[in-house]
Amino acid sequence: MDIRKLPFVNLLRRPGRTFSLLLLTAFLALSVFGGSVIVMSMKRGLNNLESRLGADIIVVPSSAQSKVSFKNMLLQGTTGAFYMSGENLTRTLEVEGVEKAAPQLFLSSLKADCCSIRIQIIGIDPETDFIIQPWIEESCQSRLGDMDVVAGCDVGVNASDTLKIYDEPCHVIGKLAATGTGLDSAVYCSMETMNKLLKAAEAKGITHEITSEDEGLVSAIYVKVKEGCDIGKVNSAIQGHTRKASAVRTKSMITDVSDSLSGVSRTVTWLIAVVWILSFVILLIVFFMIANERKKEFALLRLLGTSRAILGSVVRKEAAVCSLAGGLTGVALSALGLFPFTGLIEKSLGLPYLTPDVSTILLTALLTVAGTVLVGSMASFWSAARLSKVDPGRVLRGN
Amino acid sequence: MKLEASAVEKWYLRGNGESNRFFAVTKTDLALEPGEVTVLTGRSGSGKTTLMNIMAGLLTPDGGRVMLDGQDLYAMKDDELSRLRNRLFGMIPQGADVLPELTVKENIILPQRIYRSRSRGSFSDDDERENEGLLSERCMSLLEQMEISHLCDARAKELSGGERRRMCIARALAGDPKFLFADEPTSDLDDDNTRIILSMLRETADSSCAVMIVSHDAEAGEYADTEWRMDGGTLKKR
Ligand SMILES: Nc1ncnc2c1ncn2[C@@H]1O[C@H](COP(=O)(O)OP(=O)(O)OP(=O)(O)O)[C@@H](O)[C@H]1O
Ligand SMILES: [Mg+2]
């Protein structure tokens, strides 16, 4: 037994008190860490979306609006079984100011034997595509050839694997980086490959909303506007020139979302600040009460010859160890509650949600724990310092 | 080594207003010398504990000084005074205060390990172990003399009043203090134990320690070199 062991002995032999303090500090760390990670993930998801999105305008069939909203399509990567004539692609290209127009064809999602999740197949035109191909990672070739596919990050295959779709072997030439949206479970292939897959499905008696006979259908057209052209004007021109289709500007939609997101993140930041301040006040009160209850204990230590400085360090150490444990517990609980459920959070938020990289998470965890320890030590130290100003002979009188 | 209080006084405010000063101890002189047992008696509330705390460096007087070999205790820095009290003073508080969660043995050893904790200082490992062993032996022999050695691993909060008091006595003696302050050390003890304790305090004084005892026990007088009586904050020789 010596004075340096005393803090630990005090903590261990009063488990109830220690546990309550631990719980309190754990709650502090949990809310701060959890809140920060969620906000960072939303920001990262949106930034990623912004940089990923090469299209200024998206054109979809008018009927699509009743099935999925533009917002969901863009933010969550939701696709659907809606189609329009390929003529609209030609018409779009005719519009003044259109630099590029890339069609995509959505096939309703299907259960592939490779993975537990439903995947969706999206046909693209490798010649004109400027949306997907620039993002192919680790690929040996950047163009999609016959029976080649590119997989989203949640599809359980690796580059150069073979993925069987309707028993047709497809060559995976690359994987896409995480987007934090539904597109992570998509598989991209050329229109010709899509047609072959449809035929294979029909041979097996599986039907889709479209058949292999349907020529030149598209689900969406992604448009890039020429440098210097007014996107709004181009957008209305496309709107007027195409048939049974609606065009929408992507950037303005993202700006809307990012505005509301910065509102959300401001709110969360405030909430975190309030949690910290509240916790600090609560911790102060708790330590104040504990110190009052332990007044005699501290006075006795002083009576036995413990200097103010040493008593202070005992109390501080006790609080630091306890809030360190609480901080770590809080961060761990928060991590357990967040990281396994990113998919769920992504869905319920309806926004792209990309967890920050490991080093950022570790740094956040470290700062959270350090902050918790600091707050805990400060609160305890203050109450102990207040007490040790009183002469021990004044506290310890008779009974 | 001599501990001398000169003209110490302590007052408290009673009721409201500055006018209601109440003197717990009026200007008092008292000297404690090694080898002597000083016994202080007096009615409850007469200021005995207050005076003892002032002597022991635990309560700042409102006037006067307490000098130890020319050093004013209350002019020292907290750090110095604490260290000095830890090394030279032993105190048996009237409330028999203990650290409730520590065992009896830990309670007794802890004060000796506030400044001389393990692996601090210049001791080698062997010296350390020997020190540790000596301290433990000393602790056990004190507990045996107090007849509570069987309780050495019990938590202090589990002890009875008398057991606690005896533990406090062992705690004060373990550091071989030069000044021992015992505030009613025998108040909840039976006659046998009272005799044991008082003779132990006498022996301690004989090994050149200054012992100050506050006691209501008539028996304490038999062990005293000097007897004082406190009456309403004033000290009178008996
Ligand atoms: N902190 C304080 N505030 C107000 N009054 C105090 C304080 N400390 C002591 N007193 C008063 O000073 C007087 C002397 O107290 P002290 O404890 O020295 O008495 P005592 O002689 O030790 O009594 P007992 O024999 O009951 O222990 C008492 O009347 C007490 O009420
Ligand atoms: Mg008293």
Side-chain angles (χ1 to χ4, degrees), chain A residues 41-56 58 71-79 100 104 122 129-137 151-153 175-186 188 222-224 250-251 254 346 350-354:
Chain A
S41 301
M42 295 198 296
K43 280 195 173 149
R44 190 157 177 259
L46 206 66
N47 284 344
N48 174 280
L49 177 67
E50 232 169 339
S51 66
R52 187 162 43 87
L53 199 80
D56 300 314
I58 302 179
K71 223 169 186 150
N72 287 350
M73 232 180 101
L74 196 61
L75 296 173
Q76 290 176 268
T78 315
T79 60
K100 295 177 190 168
Q104 289 194 359
I122 300 177
D129 173 66
F130 62 98
I131 303 289
I132 304 302
Q133 288 180 126
W135 293 92
I136 300 177
E137 272 188 346
C153 78
K175 278 200 87 157
L176 295 171
T179 65
T181 69
L183 295 181
D184 288 341
S185 58
Y188 298 87
Y222 292 82
V223 178
K224 181 145 187 63
T250 58
K251 290 273 152 64
I254 292 186
E346 181 188 313
L351 288 173
Y353 184 87
L354 269 185

Side-chain angles (χ1 to χ4, degrees), chain A residues 127-146:
Chain A
E127 296 297 325
T128 57
D129 173 66
F130 62 98
I131 303 289
I132 304 302
Q133 288 180 126
W135 293 92
I136 300 177
E137 272 188 346
E138 306 160 29
S139 71
C140 32
Q141 63 198 93
S142 57
R143 280 265 165 112
L144 280 167
D146 191 30

Side-chain angles (χ1 to χ4, degrees), chain A residues 20-332:
Chain A
S20 330
L21 276 178
L22 203 137
L23 217 62
L24 200 64
T25 46
F27 172 72
L28 170 66
L30 182 134
S31 48
V32 170
F33 181 73
S36 313
V37 167
I38 290 178
V39 167
M40 284 194 288
S41 301
M42 295 198 296
K43 280 195 173 149
R44 190 157 177 259
L46 206 66
N47 284 344
N48 174 280
L49 177 67
E50 232 169 339
S51 66
R52 187 162 43 87
L53 199 80
D56 300 314
I57 295 167
I58 302 179
V59 186
V60 292
S62 312
S63 61
Q65 285 285 38
S66 61
K67 294 182 180 164
V68 292
S69 70
F70 278 123
K71 223 169 186 150
N72 287 350
M73 232 180 101
L74 196 61
L75 296 173
Q76 290 176 268
T78 315
T79 60
F82 43 77
Y83 306 96
M84 58 186 169
S85 153
E87 206 184 313
N88 276 336
L89 178 60
T90 333
R91 285 170 176 274
T92 302
L93 281 164
E94 282 164 13
V95 170
E96 179 102 22
V98 170
E99 189 188 338
K100 295 177 190 168
Q104 289 194 359
L105 183 62
F106 304 149
L107 198 60
S108 56
S109 58
L110 59 97
K111 186 107 184 55
D113 51 4
C114 66
C115 14
S116 52
I117 50 171
R118 295 179 74 87
I119 60 168
Q120 39 192 336
I121 301 180
I122 300 177
I124 60 173
D125 176 10
E127 296 297 325
T128 57
D129 173 66
F130 62 98
I131 303 289
I132 304 302
Q133 288 180 126
W135 293 92
I136 300 177
E137 272 188 346
E138 306 160 29
S139 71
C140 32
Q141 63 198 93
S142 57
R143 280 265 165 112
L144 280 167
D146 191 30
M147 295 313 279
D148 283 346
V149 297
V150 175
C153 78
D154 286 348
V155 181
V157 291
N158 294 318
S160 79
D161 279 1
T162 300
L163 174 64
K164 278 201 171 162
I165 301 175
Y166 299 129
D167 282 338
E168 291 290 311
C170 302
H171 184 223
V172 181
I173 65 161
K175 278 200 87 157
L176 295 171
T179 65
T181 69
L183 295 181
D184 288 341
S185 58
V187 166
Y188 298 87
C189 60
S190 69
M191 298 289 189
E192 289 76 35
T193 309
M194 178 98 125
N195 200 265
K196 284 185 185 165
L197 292 178
L198 270 174
K199 279 194 178 118
E202 282 157 9
K204 294 167 81 79
I206 304 168
T207 56
H208 290 276
E209 282 84 354
I210 48 170
T211 67
S212 54
E213 317 286 70
D214 294 327
E215 278 291 324
L217 287 182
V218 294
S219 298
I221 301 166
Y222 292 82
V223 178
K224 181 145 187 63
V225 174
K226 275 192 192 122
E227 208 52 57
C229 285
D230 183 338
I231 298 173
K233 282 195 184 131
V234 176
N235 190 58
S236 4
I238 294 174
Q239 185 79 56
H241 201 59
T242 51
R243 299 232 171 102
K244 291 186 190 163
S246 23
V248 70
R249 300 169 57 178
T250 58
K251 290 273 152 64
S252 63
M253 194 183 288
I254 292 186
T255 313
D256 279 358
V257 175
S258 101
D259 281 351
S260 72
L261 188 63
S262 69
V264 169
S265 89
R266 233 191 333 270
T267 313
V268 173
T269 311
W270 271 107
L271 277 177
I272 291 177
V274 168
V275 166
W276 275 91
I277 293 169
L278 258 178
S279 311
F280 185 66
V281 172
I282 292 174
L283 275 175
L284 267 182
I285 295 172
V286 167
F287 277 113
F288 184 86
M289 277 159 47
I290 290 177
N292 260 350
E293 179 209 297
R294 299 176 71 182
K295 214 159 146 173
K296 285 203 163 186
E297 184 187 334
F298 293 158
L300 177 62
L301 280 170
R302 299 269 292 129
L303 174 140
L304 296 172
T306 312
S307 65
R308 258 180 220 136
I310 293 180
L311 180 61
S313 85
V314 168
V315 171
R316 215 171 27 220
K317 209 190 226 173
E318 230 177 85
V321 168
C322 191
S323 40
L324 177 69
L328 290 174
T329 311
V331 168

Side-chain angles (χ1 to χ4, degrees), chain B residues 9-30:
Chain B
E9 56 181 354
K10 184 79 191 172
W11 49 262
Y12 296 105
L13 291 179
R14 201 159 260 186
N16 41 6
E18 188 75 4
S19 54
N20 292 322
R21 274 192 194 183
F22 157 79
F23 280 84
V25 172
T26 50
K27 283 197 164 86
T28 299
D29 301 325
L30 180 67

Side-chain angles (χ1 to χ4, degrees), chain B residues 11 52 61 79 83 96 98 112 123 126 142 171 173 200 210 220 236:
Chain B
W11 49 262
M52 180 174 263
D79 195 42
R83 216 172 250 274
V98 297
Q112 309 312 318
F123 294 121
D126 284 349
L142 281 167
R171 182 179 64 197
L173 290 174
M200 270 182 84
K236 287 181 193 137

